[in-house]
CSV table of all heavy atoms in Angstrom, one decimal:
chain,number,residue,atom,x,y,z
A,5,PHE,N,1.3,0.6,4.7
A,5,PHE,CA,1.5,-0.2,3.5
A,5,PHE,C,2.9,-0.9,3.6
A,5,PHE,O,3.7,-0.5,4.3
A,5,PHE,CB,1.5,0.7,2.3
A,5,PHE,CG,2.3,1.9,2.3
A,5,PHE,CD1,3.7,1.8,1.9
A,5,PHE,CD2,1.8,3.1,2.7
A,5,PHE,CE1,4.5,3.0,1.9
A,5,PHE,CE2,2.6,4.2,2.6
A,5,PHE,CZ,4.0,4.1,2.3
A,6,TYR,N,2.9,-2.2,3.0
A,6,TYR,CA,4.1,-3.1,3.2
A,6,TYR,C,4.4,-3.5,1.7
A,6,TYR,O,3.5,-4.1,1.1
A,6,TYR,CB,3.8,-4.1,4.1
A,6,TYR,CG,3.2,-3.7,5.5
A,6,TYR,CD1,2.0,-3.6,5.8
A,6,TYR,CD2,4.2,-3.4,6.4
A,6,TYR,CE1,1.5,-3.1,6.9
A,6,TYR,CE2,3.7,-2.8,7.7
A,6,TYR,CZ,2.4,-2.8,8.0
A,6,TYR,OH,1.8,-2.4,9.1
A,7,MET,N,5.6,-3.5,1.4
A,7,MET,CA,6.2,-4.1,0.1
A,7,MET,C,5.5,-3.5,-1.1
A,7,MET,O,5.1,-4.1,-2.0
A,7,MET,CB,6.1,-5.6,0.2
A,7,MET,CG,6.7,-6.2,1.3
A,7,MET,SD,8.6,-6.2,1.3
A,7,MET,CE,8.8,-7.5,0.1
A,8,GLN,N,5.2,-2.2,-1.0
A,8,GLN,CA,4.3,-1.6,-2.0
A,8,GLN,C,4.9,-1.4,-3.3
A,8,GLN,O,6.1,-1.4,-3.5
A,8,GLN,CB,3.8,-0.3,-1.5
A,8,GLN,CG,4.8,0.9,-1.7
A,8,GLN,CD,6.1,0.8,-0.9
A,8,GLN,OE1,6.1,0.2,0.1
A,8,GLN,NE2,7.1,1.6,-1.2
A,9,HIS,N,4.1,-1.3,-4.4
A,9,HIS,CA,4.5,-1.0,-5.8
A,9,HIS,C,3.7,0.1,-6.4
A,9,HIS,O,2.5,0.4,-5.9
A,9,HIS,CB,4.5,-2.3,-6.6
A,9,HIS,CG,5.5,-3.3,-6.3
A,9,HIS,ND1,5.4,-4.1,-5.2
A,9,HIS,CD2,6.5,-3.5,-7.0
A,9,HIS,CE1,6.4,-4.9,-5.1
A,9,HIS,NE2,7.2,-4.7,-6.2
A,10,ASP,N,4.1,0.5,-7.5
A,10,ASP,CA,3.1,1.4,-8.5
A,10,ASP,C,2.4,2.6,-7.7
A,10,ASP,O,1.2,2.4,-7.2
A,10,ASP,CB,2.0,0.4,-9.0
A,10,ASP,CG,1.3,1.2,-10.2
A,10,ASP,OD1,2.0,2.0,-10.7
A,10,ASP,OD2,0.2,0.8,-10.5
A,11,VAL,N,3.0,3.8,-7.7
A,11,VAL,CA,2.4,5.0,-7.4
A,11,VAL,C,1.9,5.7,-8.6
A,11,VAL,O,2.5,5.8,-9.6
A,11,VAL,CB,3.5,5.9,-6.7
A,11,VAL,CG1,2.9,7.2,-6.2
A,11,VAL,CG2,4.2,5.1,-5.6
A,12,ASP,N,0.7,6.0,-8.3
A,12,ASP,CA,-0.1,6.9,-9.4
A,12,ASP,C,-0.6,8.2,-8.9
A,12,ASP,O,-1.2,8.2,-7.9
A,12,ASP,CB,-1.1,6.0,-10.1
A,12,ASP,CG,-0.5,4.8,-11.0
A,12,ASP,OD1,0.3,5.1,-11.7
A,12,ASP,OD2,-1.0,3.7,-10.7
A,13,ILE,N,-0.6,9.3,-9.7
A,13,ILE,CA,-1.2,10.5,-9.4
A,13,ILE,C,-2.7,10.5,-10.0
A,13,ILE,O,-2.8,10.2,-11.0
A,13,ILE,CB,-0.5,11.6,-9.9
A,13,ILE,CG1,0.9,11.7,-9.5
A,13,ILE,CG2,-1.2,13.0,-9.7
A,13,ILE,CD1,1.9,12.5,-10.4
A,14,ILE,N,-3.8,10.7,-9.0
A,14,ILE,CA,-5.0,10.6,-9.4
A,14,ILE,C,-5.9,11.8,-9.3
A,14,ILE,O,-7.0,11.9,-9.8
A,14,ILE,CB,-5.7,9.4,-8.6
A,14,ILE,CG1,-5.8,9.7,-7.1
A,14,ILE,CG2,-5.1,8.1,-8.9
A,14,ILE,CD1,-6.6,8.7,-6.3
A,15,SER,N,-5.3,12.9,-8.7
A,15,SER,CA,-5.8,14.2,-8.7
A,15,SER,C,-4.9,15.3,-8.4
A,15,SER,O,-3.7,15.0,-8.3
A,15,SER,CB,-7.0,14.2,-7.5
A,15,SER,OG,-6.5,14.3,-6.3
A,16,ASN,N,-5.3,16.5,-8.2
A,16,ASN,CA,-4.4,17.5,-7.8
A,16,ASN,C,-3.7,17.4,-6.4
A,16,ASN,O,-2.8,18.1,-6.1
A,16,ASN,CB,-5.0,18.9,-8.0
A,16,ASN,CG,-5.3,19.2,-9.4
A,16,ASN,OD1,-4.5,18.8,-10.3
A,16,ASN,ND2,-6.3,20.1,-9.7
A,17,ASN,N,-4.3,16.5,-5.6
A,17,ASN,CA,-3.7,16.3,-4.3
A,17,ASN,C,-3.7,15.0,-3.7
A,17,ASN,O,-3.5,14.8,-2.6
A,17,ASN,CB,-4.6,17.4,-3.3
A,17,ASN,CG,-6.1,16.9,-3.3
A,17,ASN,OD1,-6.8,17.3,-4.2
A,17,ASN,ND2,-6.6,16.2,-2.2
A,18,GLU,N,-4.0,14.0,-4.7
A,18,GLU,CA,-4.1,12.6,-4.2
A,18,GLU,C,-3.1,11.8,-5.2
A,18,GLU,O,-3.0,12.0,-6.3
A,18,GLU,CB,-5.5,12.1,-4.4
A,18,GLU,CG,-6.3,12.8,-3.3
A,18,GLU,CD,-7.9,12.2,-3.6
A,18,GLU,OE1,-8.3,12.5,-4.7
A,18,GLU,OE2,-8.5,11.8,-2.7
A,19,ILE,N,-2.7,10.7,-4.4
A,19,ILE,CA,-2.0,9.6,-5.1
A,19,ILE,C,-2.5,8.3,-4.6
A,19,ILE,O,-3.2,8.2,-3.6
A,19,ILE,CB,-0.5,9.6,-4.9
A,19,ILE,CG1,-0.1,9.4,-3.4
A,19,ILE,CG2,0.2,10.9,-5.3
A,19,ILE,CD1,1.3,9.2,-3.1
A,20,SER,N,-2.4,7.2,-5.6
A,20,SER,CA,-2.7,5.9,-5.3
A,20,SER,C,-1.4,5.1,-5.1
A,20,SER,O,-0.5,5.4,-5.7
A,20,SER,CB,-3.7,5.3,-6.4
A,20,SER,OG,-2.9,5.1,-7.4
A,21,ILE,N,-1.5,4.1,-4.1
A,21,ILE,CA,-0.4,3.2,-3.8
A,21,ILE,C,-0.9,1.8,-3.8
A,21,ILE,O,-1.9,1.5,-3.2
A,21,ILE,CB,0.2,3.5,-2.5
A,21,ILE,CG1,0.6,5.0,-2.3
A,21,ILE,CG2,1.4,2.6,-2.1
A,21,ILE,CD1,1.0,5.5,-0.9
A,22,PHE,N,-0.2,1.1,-4.6
A,22,PHE,CA,-0.5,-0.4,-4.7
A,22,PHE,C,0.2,-1.0,-3.6
A,22,PHE,O,1.4,-1.4,-3.6
A,22,PHE,CB,0.0,-1.0,-6.1
A,22,PHE,CG,-0.4,-2.4,-6.3
A,22,PHE,CD1,-1.5,-2.7,-7.0
A,22,PHE,CD2,0.4,-3.5,-5.7
A,22,PHE,CE1,-1.9,-4.1,-7.2
A,22,PHE,CE2,0.2,-4.8,-6.0
A,22,PHE,CZ,-1.1,-5.1,-6.7
A,23,ASN,N,-0.6,-1.4,-2.5
A,23,ASN,CA,-0.1,-2.0,-1.3
A,23,ASN,C,-0.1,-3.6,-1.4
A,23,ASN,O,-1.2,-4.1,-1.3
A,23,ASN,CB,-0.9,-1.5,-0.1
A,23,ASN,CG,-0.4,-2.2,1.2
A,23,ASN,OD1,0.8,-2.6,1.3
A,23,ASN,ND2,-1.3,-2.2,2.3
A,24,ASN,N,1.0,-4.2,-1.6
A,24,ASN,CA,1.1,-5.6,-1.6
A,24,ASN,C,0.6,-6.3,-0.4
A,24,ASN,O,0.2,-7.4,-0.3
A,24,ASN,CB,2.6,-6.1,-1.9
A,24,ASN,CG,2.9,-5.8,-3.4
A,24,ASN,OD1,3.2,-4.6,-3.6
A,24,ASN,ND2,3.0,-6.9,-4.2
A,25,ASN,N,0.8,-5.5,0.7
A,25,ASN,CA,0.3,-6.0,2.1
A,25,ASN,C,0.9,-7.2,2.5
A,25,ASN,O,0.3,-8.3,3.0
A,25,ASN,CB,-1.3,-6.2,2.0
A,25,ASN,CG,-1.9,-5.9,3.4
A,25,ASN,OD1,-1.2,-5.3,4.3
A,25,ASN,ND2,-3.3,-6.1,3.5
A,26,TYR,N,2.2,-7.4,2.1
A,26,TYR,CA,3.0,-8.6,2.4
A,26,TYR,C,4.0,-8.2,3.5
A,26,TYR,O,4.8,-7.4,3.4
A,26,TYR,CB,3.7,-8.9,1.2
A,26,TYR,CG,4.5,-10.4,1.3
A,26,TYR,CD1,4.0,-11.5,1.3
A,26,TYR,CD2,5.9,-10.3,1.4
A,26,TYR,CE1,4.7,-12.7,1.4
A,26,TYR,CE2,6.6,-11.4,1.4
A,26,TYR,CZ,6.0,-12.7,1.5
A,26,TYR,OH,6.6,-13.9,1.6
A,27,PHE,N,3.9,-8.8,4.7
A,27,PHE,CA,4.7,-8.4,5.8
A,27,PHE,C,5.3,-9.7,6.7
A,27,PHE,O,4.8,-10.7,6.5
A,27,PHE,CB,4.0,-7.3,6.7
A,27,PHE,CG,2.7,-7.8,7.1
A,27,PHE,CD1,2.4,-8.4,8.4
A,27,PHE,CD2,1.6,-7.5,6.3
A,27,PHE,CE1,1.2,-8.8,8.6
A,27,PHE,CE2,0.3,-8.0,6.7
A,27,PHE,CZ,0.0,-8.6,7.9
A,28,PHE,N,6.1,-9.4,7.5
A,28,PHE,CA,6.7,-10.4,8.3
A,28,PHE,C,6.3,-10.4,9.8
A,28,PHE,O,6.2,-9.3,10.3
A,28,PHE,CB,8.2,-10.5,8.2
A,28,PHE,CG,8.7,-10.7,6.7
A,28,PHE,CD1,8.7,-9.9,5.8
A,28,PHE,CD2,9.4,-12.1,6.6
A,28,PHE,CE1,9.2,-10.3,4.5
A,28,PHE,CE2,9.8,-12.4,5.4
A,28,PHE,CZ,9.7,-11.6,4.4
A,29,THR,N,6.0,-11.4,10.2
A,29,THR,CA,5.6,-11.6,11.8
A,29,THR,C,6.4,-12.6,12.4
A,29,THR,O,7.4,-13.3,11.7
A,29,THR,CB,4.1,-12.2,11.9
A,29,THR,OG1,4.1,-13.6,11.4
A,29,THR,CG2,3.1,-11.3,10.9
A,30,LYS,N,6.4,-12.9,13.6
A,30,LYS,CA,7.2,-13.8,14.4
A,30,LYS,C,7.0,-15.2,13.9
A,30,LYS,O,7.9,-16.1,14.1
A,30,LYS,CB,7.0,-13.6,15.8
A,30,LYS,CG,5.7,-13.9,16.4
A,30,LYS,CD,5.6,-13.8,17.9
A,30,LYS,CE,4.2,-14.1,18.3
A,30,LYS,NZ,3.9,-14.0,19.8
A,31,ASN,N,5.8,-15.4,13.2
A,31,ASN,CA,5.6,-16.6,12.7
A,31,ASN,C,5.8,-16.9,11.2
A,31,ASN,O,5.5,-17.8,10.7
A,31,ASN,CB,4.2,-17.0,13.0
A,31,ASN,CG,3.8,-17.2,14.5
A,31,ASN,OD1,4.6,-17.7,15.4
A,31,ASN,ND2,2.6,-16.5,15.0
A,32,GLY,N,6.6,-15.8,10.7
A,32,GLY,CA,6.9,-16.0,9.2
A,32,GLY,C,6.2,-14.9,8.3
A,32,GLY,O,5.4,-14.1,8.9
A,33,PRO,N,6.3,-15.0,7.1
A,33,PRO,CA,5.8,-14.0,6.2
A,33,PRO,C,4.2,-14.2,6.1
A,33,PRO,O,3.7,-15.3,6.3
A,33,PRO,CB,6.3,-14.3,4.9
A,33,PRO,CG,6.9,-15.6,4.9
A,33,PRO,CD,7.3,-15.9,6.4
A,34,LYS,N,3.5,-13.1,5.9
A,34,LYS,CA,2.0,-13.1,5.8
A,34,LYS,C,1.6,-12.3,4.5
A,34,LYS,O,2.0,-11.1,4.5
A,34,LYS,CB,1.4,-12.5,7.1
A,34,LYS,CG,-0.1,-12.8,7.3
A,34,LYS,CD,-0.6,-12.3,8.7
A,34,LYS,CE,-2.0,-12.6,8.8
A,34,LYS,NZ,-2.6,-12.2,10.1
A,35,ASN,N,0.8,-12.9,3.7
A,35,ASN,CA,0.4,-12.2,2.6
A,35,ASN,C,-1.1,-12.0,2.6
A,35,ASN,O,-1.9,-13.0,2.4
A,35,ASN,CB,0.7,-13.2,1.3
A,35,ASN,CG,0.5,-12.5,-0.1
A,35,ASN,OD1,0.6,-13.1,-1.0
A,35,ASN,ND2,0.3,-11.1,0.0
A,36,GLU,N,-1.6,-10.8,2.9
A,36,GLU,CA,-3.0,-10.4,2.8
A,36,GLU,C,-3.4,-10.0,1.5
A,36,GLU,O,-2.6,-9.9,0.6
A,36,GLU,CB,-3.1,-9.3,3.9
A,36,GLU,CG,-2.8,-9.7,5.4
A,36,GLU,CD,-3.7,-10.6,6.0
A,36,GLU,OE1,-4.7,-11.1,5.4
A,36,GLU,OE2,-3.5,-10.9,7.2
A,37,ASN,N,-4.7,-9.7,1.3
A,37,ASN,CA,-5.2,-9.2,0.1
A,37,ASN,C,-4.5,-7.8,-0.2
A,37,ASN,O,-4.1,-7.1,0.8
A,37,ASN,CB,-6.7,-8.9,0.1
A,37,ASN,CG,-7.5,-10.2,0.0
A,37,ASN,OD1,-7.2,-10.9,-0.9
A,37,ASN,ND2,-8.5,-10.5,0.8
A,38,ILE,N,-4.2,-7.7,-1.4
A,38,ILE,CA,-3.7,-6.2,-1.7
A,38,ILE,C,-4.7,-5.1,-1.4
A,38,ILE,O,-5.9,-5.3,-1.3
A,38,ILE,CB,-3.2,-6.1,-3.2
A,38,ILE,CG1,-4.4,-6.3,-4.2
A,38,ILE,CG2,-2.2,-7.3,-3.6
A,38,ILE,CD1,-4.9,-5.0,-4.8
A,39,GLU,N,-4.1,-4.0,-1.4
A,39,GLU,CA,-5.0,-2.8,-1.0
A,39,GLU,C,-4.6,-1.6,-2.0
A,39,GLU,O,-3.5,-1.5,-2.3
A,39,GLU,CB,-4.9,-2.3,0.4
A,39,GLU,CG,-5.3,-3.2,1.4
A,39,GLU,CD,-5.1,-2.8,2.9
A,39,GLU,OE1,-4.0,-2.0,3.0
A,39,GLU,OE2,-5.7,-3.1,3.7
A,40,ILE,N,-5.6,-0.9,-2.5
A,40,ILE,CA,-5.4,0.2,-3.3
A,40,ILE,C,-5.6,1.4,-2.3
A,40,ILE,O,-6.7,1.8,-2.1
A,40,ILE,CB,-6.4,0.4,-4.5
A,40,ILE,CG1,-6.2,-0.9,-5.3
A,40,ILE,CG2,-6.0,1.5,-5.3
A,40,ILE,CD1,-5.0,-1.3,-5.9
A,41,LEU,N,-4.5,2.0,-1.8
A,41,LEU,CA,-4.6,3.0,-0.8
A,41,LEU,C,-4.5,4.4,-1.6
A,41,LEU,O,-3.9,4.6,-2.7
A,41,LEU,CB,-3.4,3.1,0.1
A,41,LEU,CG,-3.3,1.8,1.0
A,41,LEU,CD1,-2.1,1.8,1.9
A,41,LEU,CD2,-4.4,1.7,1.8
A,42,ILE,N,-5.4,5.3,-1.1
A,42,ILE,CA,-5.3,6.6,-1.7
A,42,ILE,C,-4.8,7.5,-0.5
A,42,ILE,O,-5.3,7.6,0.6
A,42,ILE,CB,-6.8,7.1,-2.0
A,42,ILE,CG1,-7.5,6.2,-2.9
A,42,ILE,CG2,-6.7,8.6,-2.6
A,42,ILE,CD1,-6.8,5.9,-4.2
A,43,TYR,N,-3.6,8.3,-0.8
A,43,TYR,CA,-3.2,9.2,0.2
A,43,TYR,C,-3.5,10.6,-0.3
A,43,TYR,O,-3.2,11.0,-1.5
A,43,TYR,CB,-1.6,9.1,0.1
A,43,TYR,CG,-0.9,10.0,1.2
A,43,TYR,CD1,-1.1,9.9,2.5
A,43,TYR,CD2,-0.3,11.2,0.7
A,43,TYR,CE1,-0.5,10.8,3.4
A,43,TYR,CE2,0.2,12.1,1.6
A,43,TYR,CZ,0.1,11.9,2.9
A,43,TYR,OH,0.6,12.7,3.8
A,44,ASP,N,-4.2,11.4,0.7
A,44,ASP,CA,-4.5,12.8,0.5
A,44,ASP,C,-3.5,13.7,1.0
A,44,ASP,O,-3.4,13.7,2.2
A,44,ASP,CB,-5.9,13.0,1.0
A,44,ASP,CG,-6.6,14.2,0.7
A,44,ASP,OD1,-5.8,15.3,0.3
A,44,ASP,OD2,-7.8,14.6,0.6
A,45,PHE,N,-2.8,14.5,0.2
A,45,PHE,CA,-1.8,15.4,0.7
A,45,PHE,C,-2.4,16.5,1.6
A,45,PHE,O,-1.9,17.2,2.4
A,45,PHE,CB,-1.0,16.0,-0.5
A,45,PHE,CG,0.0,15.3,-0.9
A,45,PHE,CD1,-0.1,13.9,-1.6
A,45,PHE,CD2,1.4,15.7,-0.8
A,45,PHE,CE1,0.9,13.3,-2.1
A,45,PHE,CE2,2.4,14.9,-1.2
A,45,PHE,CZ,2.2,13.7,-1.9
A,46,LYS,N,-3.8,16.9,1.3
A,46,LYS,CA,-4.4,18.0,1.8
A,46,LYS,C,-4.7,17.6,3.4
A,46,LYS,O,-4.4,18.5,4.3
A,46,LYS,CB,-5.7,18.3,1.2
A,46,LYS,CG,-6.4,19.6,1.7
A,46,LYS,CD,-7.8,19.7,1.0
A,46,LYS,CE,-7.5,20.0,-0.5
A,46,LYS,NZ,-8.9,20.3,-1.3
């Protein structure tokens, strides 16, 4: 994830992360579609 915002707890062992998916390359900044990532602690 890149330039992320907004962490939310969605279960006893998972969080969601609002991934802006905005990152820098040698040709300049790149803005992809956002992603709703789920991270499982287990």
